Amino acid sequence: MSALHLRGVVLPEGEERDVWVDDEGYVRDDPIQGADTVLDGGWLLPGLVDAHCHVGLDEHGGVDAATTESQAVASRDAGALLLRDAGVPVDTHWVDERPDLPRIIRAGRHIARPKRYIRNYGEEIEPEQLVAEVERQAARGDGWVKLVGDWIDRDAGDLATCWPADVAAAAIARAHELGVRVTAHCFGEQSVAELVGAGIDCIEHGTGLTDDVIADMARRGTALVPTRVQLDNFPEYAAQAGAKFPAYAAHMRDLHARCDAVLGSAVEAGVPVYAGTDAGGVLPHGLIAREVLALHEQVGMSAGAALGAASWSARSWLGRPGLGEGEPADLVAYDHDSRADLRALAHPRLVVLRGRVVA
Ligand SMILES: [Zn+2]
């Protein structure tokens, strides 16, 4: 592996400088003799982050290693070098041995209620098993556990929360004792209100946020990963369920119709928002640039904040470094300034992972 030299405007600081990468893949401030200049002019971002995707999953459940690899490569080639996996039924730790594949922060397997989630995805348990299951999934993950906070209850004919609030609070407290953060899938109003009140660390989707809960999240610093592109599937879920579950269908249509206003209120209130594609269920991997654009154009984040939500801000939230001296050289280079036009983000010129040019 050879040393690299890149020159460009490094974000978020916005100053033009040289970035040197030593032959072990770490960023150095001092010039390295004989380094291979791979970029002379352009813009450099700390490796992009997809804060909600699923590597090793498709719409039917877990997938084989070859499919898992192609998903990871699609993310990587789009510049997403750090993936927060929001739940998969298969063990993907073998990816960690592959220097050419993105880094993954896993949340173990989704924790769901029996017959209250997508088939073959979750570990399906009753509330009295929740604390023990959180302990189990904490051991399988990389510092995160994922709950399915709400789903359709076919008897009620509508979205309904999956866990009694006191049980969820006990499970979250147990995770925190273990040093693990908890996130939850929440579409409706009740689950998100109760889980935020119970001290959860992050909410996925969050379409059911009310002003009170948004204020609570802002006060507590609870993160939000809206997966805005994915939310456009709500009308289809409504159409599929419509004849049998009209209340659910109406609820989903309403949540979709209001989602940009609701998510925009969260941004305005100062809730920390991060970019996640939800790739691996219905959507393909590699859509991080599209999600960033949606956070800007539809949810109303500034271009710089939307960019940070998929790069430096998300890295800091996940405890991963940027491009300082001695940090691993995970970076993406562009010909154009994505702050001026976020569409440039979809066209990386160069992707460097662990100090190697991988795309
Ligand atoms: Zn997901």
Side-chain angles (χ1 to χ4, degrees), residues 9 13 15 19-20 26 32 35-36 62 77 114 122 136 170 180 197 204 238 245 247 255 257 263 280 282 299:
V9 177
E13 296 79 13
E15 279 164 28
V19 174
W20 304 89
Y26 293 93
I32 300 173
D36 186 10
D77 290 354
R136 273 183 7 108
V180 168
E204 314 295 317
F245 303 108
L255 290 170
L263 299 171
V282 185
V299 176

Side-chain angles (χ1 to χ4, degrees), residues 95-102 353-354 356 358:
V95 172
D96 298 351
E97 310 302 317
R98 288 276 303 269
D100 59 324
L101 297 180
L353 176 60
R354 298 180 178 89
R356 301 181 196 198
V358 289

